[in-house]
Amino acid sequence: AEDRSRQAREDLERLVLKSPRAGSVLPPPVMVHNSNDSRRLGTWRGTPLDETNRGCFLETGTALCQIGDPDLLEAMLVIEQSAVPFVRVGQSVRLRIDQGPVRMVTGTVSEVAKTDARDIPDSLARALDLPLRREGKMGQQTAATYYQARVKLEPSKLPLAVGMHGQAKILANWQPLGNRLLRWLQLTFRV
């Protein structure tokens, strides 16, 4: 009986989650389970913190939450190669988030990659609707060359979560109409 009591106390202590640093509780990425087996019961959806998932079974390694500073959130932009020369550190960015009640978020470009993003995960490429091409045994690659830019988001009370995606507009410097027309012709006719 003493061994079972000691084991129960140890199990209870293991259920207490402790963060290695201070911060706010942020929700984990939203999980979408697609079950192809109609004979099995469905599992939880969304995040473990959702009201509908109270009391659900969590497998070992499931992300319960993330600890971070909501005032220090960043966004990663995927920019087509033809637009990279117009992106500079310090430019204002407006982001439209596709998921949840969040609509518009603003920020500032804090870093632009000097090399192209060769390994964009398939799931991200599909979520962003990037054109893909088959590369033989290597699988699929993006059809165009893309670069990444880091955007420091302004503090907001909106419920942002890690893994959200959307579209961004970078407020670039003005260009004469002739330069814009020439660029449009080059992109359209690949001159």
Side-chain angles (χ1 to χ4, degrees):
E2 288 178 8
D3 286 342
R4 285 196 310 215
S5 176
R6 182 182 46 78
Q7 183 65 39
R9 281 194 304 271
E10 289 176 5
D11 290 344
L12 187 59
E13 288 176 15
R14 287 191 335 197
L15 290 176
V16 175
L17 301 178
K18 295 179 184 177
S19 172
R21 62 179 164 176
S24 299
V25 174
L26 302 172
V30 175
M31 294 292 292
V32 179
H33 297 282
N34 49 356
S35 176
N36 295 337
D37 189 2
S38 61
R39 294 175 287 160
R40 297 185 66 196
L41 289 175
T43 59
W44 57 275
R45 297 182 190 278
T47 71
L49 301 177
D50 292 343
E51 185 69 31
T52 57
N53 294 328
R54 286 255 165 106
C56 67
F57 174 77
L58 299 176
E59 294 181 13
T60 303
T62 302
L64 181 66
C65 65
Q66 298 177 1
I67 305 297
D69 188 349
D71 294 335
L72 298 177
L73 291 178
E74 294 179 330
M76 291 300 290
L77 304 183
V78 178
I79 304 170
E80 191 172 353
Q81 183 178 13
S82 63
V84 171
F86 305 107
V87 179
R88 307 255 186 281
V89 172
Q91 290 176 323
S92 296
V93 179
R94 289 188 319 223
L95 294 107
R96 188 189 70 188
I97 309 296
D98 293 339
Q99 297 121 334
V102 181
R103 290 293 173 238
M104 294 296 287
V105 181
T106 57
T108 306
V109 175
S110 61
E111 184 181 353
V112 180
K114 294 182 180 9
T115 60
D116 63 330
R118 295 187 188 277
D119 296 324
I120 296 177
D122 285 346
S123 59
L124 179 60
R126 284 191 178 87
L128 298 178
D129 200 25
L130 300 177
L132 300 172
R133 69 171 183 245
R134 288 199 100 28
E135 285 291 322
K137 294 181 181 178
M138 294 182 63
Q140 294 183 340
Q141 296 278 354
T142 54
T145 303
Y146 295 95
Y147 287 76
Q148 291 183 334
R150 187 182 308 261
V151 175
K152 183 177 186 234
L153 300 179
E154 294 176 2
S156 170
K157 297 294 181 199
L158 298 172
L160 295 173
V162 176
M164 289 181 146
H165 55 81
Q167 297 181 1
K169 288 206 181 239
I170 300 173
L171 305 176
N173 298 334
W174 73 276
Q175 293 179 356
L177 185 58
N179 288 357
R180 293 174 68 181
L181 181 60
L182 179 63
R183 181 170 178 263
W184 178 79
L185 287 171
Q186 288 173 336
L187 291 175
T188 303
F189 298 107
R190 298 285 179 201
V191 176

